[in-house]
Amino acid sequence: MSFTLGQVVTTAGLSTYLSHSGFSGFINQSLQRHRNKDWGDVSEEDRISNDYAVHEGGRLISTYKIPVLPGLSSSISDHIWIITEAVGESGSRASTCILFPHEY
């Protein structure tokens, strides 16, 4: 069973790095992995929770390790999170947010 992402947004902190082509490519690849139910580096408990939430309409969370990218500061964060909200009253998911963990 697949799921919709809704409106895809990023936090202000993450968006400042999207002009870096390697980082924006990583973000696009990570979003595709999330959409394909590859939850990345989450715990086994979160993986099970996500698999259940796809069918039951709950919130989905993925985390992906940022690769070393030339010209990108390694101090920004070592991971990103992608969070897709639970199914709302409309029967669909309203949004997916891409952020650094420290922005949560």
Side-chain angles (χ1 to χ4, degrees):
M1 175 180 232
S2 64
F3 64 94
T4 59
L5 297 173
Q7 180 181 8
V8 177
V9 298
T10 64
T11 56
L14 188 134
S15 70
T16 62
Y17 297 96
L18 289 177
S19 61
H20 185 285
S21 64
F23 187 70
S24 63
F26 162 72
I27 294 297
N28 289 331
Q29 181 184 47
S30 298
L31 191 59
Q32 190 62 29
R33 287 176 65 187
H34 179 77
R35 176 73 177 84
N36 289 328
K37 297 177 262 179
D38 170 355
W39 312 121
D41 301 319
V42 297
S43 67
E44 184 63 22
E45 181 179 323
D46 285 342
R47 188 174 313 284
I48 291 167
S49 178
N50 280 347
D51 290 341
Y52 179 79
V54 166
H55 300 287
E56 298 302 319
R59 183 182 80 153
L60 305 165
I61 184 166
S62 297
T63 183
Y64 305 100
K65 182 168 178 43
I66 300 171
V68 174
L69 297 167
L72 185 68
S73 170
S74 61
S75 66
I76 58 171
S77 184
D78 60 348
H79 281 79
I80 61 162
W81 287 355
I82 300 179
I83 301 172
T84 300
E85 294 301 324
V87 171
E89 291 180 15
S90 67
S92 63
R93 298 173 187 275
S95 66
T96 295
C97 183
I98 308 167
L99 65 155
F100 294 125
H102 66 269
E103 296 179 295
Y104 187 72

